[in-house]
Amino acid sequence: MLKTALGRFRAVAFWEGLSFLVLLLIAMPLKYALNMPLGVRVVGMAHGLLFVAYLYTLMMAAIEYRWGVKRIAVAFLASLVPGGTFWLDTQLRGEALALETAKTR
């Protein structure tokens, strides 16, 4: 999976999406309900780094596969919606399988 730009993008997208959900559903409630801000600090930092990695791998995949502006915009917006990167992965999974199949022929 990590051998192609698309595979690296999908892997980073998974972890970025997961960190976003952990931040929203676990760390923030702990901060505001139980006055435990450390979780937001730690998970927020990890999420921020993963978001930057997401943007970088998005651009690398977009350049390599010559994605249009619309597809790049959809991928960017998917990162702003909780669970959006998981939806995007389902869209890209078929493309990744087609690329792998074409390589083996």
Side-chain angles (χ1 to χ4, degrees):
M1 177 179 211
L2 299 177
K3 294 180 182 179
T4 65
L6 184 58
R8 287 186 293 275
F9 174 61
R10 288 180 61 214
V12 171
F14 171 81
W15 290 107
E16 191 274 339
L18 186 63
S19 72
F20 191 26
L21 292 178
V22 169
L23 181 64
L24 292 176
L25 300 176
I26 297 172
M28 289 184 72
L30 285 174
K31 178 180 179 177
Y32 293 108
L34 301 175
N35 197 24
M36 298 173 65
L38 183 61
V40 170
R41 186 173 299 148
V42 172
V43 176
M45 175 66 78
H47 174 67
L49 291 172
L50 285 165
F51 182 72
V52 171
Y54 179 88
L55 294 177
Y56 177 77
T57 56
L58 168 61
M59 285 299 103
M60 293 298 102
I63 290 167
E64 185 170 329
Y65 299 106
R66 296 188 175 117
W67 289 351
V69 173
K70 181 179 176 183
R71 186 165 216 188
I72 295 168
V74 167
F76 175 75
L77 292 174
S79 72
L80 303 178
V81 177
T85 59
F86 303 113
W87 170 83
L88 181 65
D89 186 61
T90 62
Q91 308 299 310
L92 296 176
R93 187 176 300 137
E95 184 174 329
L97 288 174
L99 288 170
E100 287 180 26
T101 304
K103 275 187 173 182
T104 58
R105 289 185 183 183

